[in-house]
Amino acid sequence: EIMENAKEFSDKAAIVISRTGGEGADLPTDMGPIMDGSTMDIGTKYMKGSYTNNSSEYDDFQAGQSYLELSQTEKDLGLFKCASRFQKDGNTLIIDGGDLLQGSPFGAYCHDTIGSAEKFAEIMNRCGYDYVTLGNHDFNYGMAYLDSYLDALHARCVCQNVRRADGSTRFPARVHTLENGLRVGIVGIVTDYVNIWERPEHIASIRISDPIPAAAAALEKLKSISDVTLCVYHGGFERDL
């Protein structure tokens, strides 16, 4: 009944195994038959139920599939799925647009349990990233935590409108020369709404200036020393440009 009610409000499939009595009540001691679908004991009957798509906006799953079948379906999503397809050579740059450190179960584990974002850097290093810019959520745990990521990162960080207290740019624009000789000027910027959204103590050692003038000034300087210029912006626009 619970699952039937849930299906009226959700277009996504979910499996919940729970207990309503004492320790281990109503749950089998051997979970193998549950995962291979060979049992219909209490606690698994909902997993044998069929899924109905109640929304015309999504086609992630096919109507009539069992919840158990859906739980074992691997989706073609995620960083590692994407990174495994990178065609990396000396004339290719791989660039990340920010918001890596917060917003995922792994991010919570790194912050709450490990206390360091170094593991994120290890992942990005294995994926072969060359440059990153910062997103507003990368400031959510403060600059010391952000630095634990950047210090272990092989890629260069570019974020032109993140300023030190003296006004200098902390993550300045870069010029990258490819194997074929092409010079690529790279600028990163982040929304200055970080100043509004973020806790003051998390950004006390920096200030984030208006991103558009910062990008324009940096790109102007890059023109004479670059063949191609690139700006990576983590933010949005309030009107058509």
Side-chain angles (χ1 to χ4, degrees):
E1 180 181 355
I2 294 175
M3 294 299 290
E4 289 299 321
N5 291 338
K7 285 192 292 183
E8 295 180 6
F9 299 98
S10 176
D11 59 287
K12 302 293 185 183
I15 294 176
V16 179
I17 301 177
S18 183
R19 60 185 177 87
T20 56
E23 187 68 28
D26 296 330
L27 289 182
T29 56
D30 179 8
M31 298 298 289
I34 289 182
M35 298 316 298
D36 65 22
S38 61
T39 182
M40 283 289 289
D41 292 341
I42 186 169
T44 67
K45 61 182 179 180
Y46 296 120
M47 301 173 75
K48 286 286 190 177
S50 62
Y51 169 72
T52 301
N53 191 340
N54 295 301
S55 171
S56 60
E57 298 180 15
Y58 301 98
D59 58 359
D60 292 1
F61 308 113
Q62 297 299 317
Q65 286 183 290
S66 70
Y67 286 104
L68 179 62
E69 182 182 0
L70 296 176
S71 74
Q72 297 172 331
T73 301
E74 183 178 356
K75 300 295 290 181
D76 195 18
L77 300 171
L79 176 58
F80 287 147
K81 289 280 189 178
C82 179
S84 66
R85 297 169 185 165
F86 289 163
Q87 301 295 315
K88 184 68 186 293
D89 57 29
N91 294 318
T92 303
L93 293 177
I94 303 176
I95 303 172
D96 181 69
D99 268 5
L100 181 70
L101 303 186
Q102 192 272 355
S104 67
F106 183 69
Y109 172 77
C110 286
H111 178 261
D112 299 345
T113 303
I114 300 177
S116 168
E118 184 177 350
K119 293 298 182 183
F120 277 108
E122 292 181 17
I123 292 172
M124 300 294 276
N125 294 342
R126 287 177 178 269
C127 292
Y129 278 88
D130 299 291
Y131 293 90
V132 303
T133 195
L134 301 176
N136 52 290
H137 286 293
D138 293 321
F139 298 93
N140 285 168
Y141 297 131
M143 291 305 297
Y145 187 78
L146 174 56
D147 285 339
S148 72
Y149 163 61
L150 296 176
D151 289 346
L153 188 67
H154 295 167
R156 295 291 189 92
C157 181
V158 287
C159 203
Q160 194 69 24
N161 62 323
V162 176
R163 312 283 189 177
R164 298 185 181 91
D166 62 6
S168 61
T169 300
R170 175 148 187 207
F171 308 109
R174 303 279 181 176
V175 176
H176 186 106
T177 303
L178 301 176
E179 281 186 2
N180 62 13
L182 187 72
R183 300 170 302 172
V184 183
I186 307 170
V187 180
I189 48 176
V190 64
T191 173
D192 57 349
Y193 270 64
V194 173
N195 297 316
I196 299 173
W197 297 329
E198 195 51 69
R199 293 182 179 181
E201 61 268 25
H202 287 170
I203 53 174
S205 62
I206 61 168
R207 67 179 182 87
I208 299 176
S209 63
D210 189 332
I212 304 303
L219 289 168
E220 186 63 33
K221 291 181 179 179
L222 288 175
K223 284 182 179 179
S224 62
I225 56 175
S226 305
D227 302 305
V228 177
T229 56
L230 170 68
C231 182
V232 185
Y233 176 37
H234 187 103
F237 300 106
E238 296 181 355
R239 60 185 180 274
D240 291 339
L241 299 180

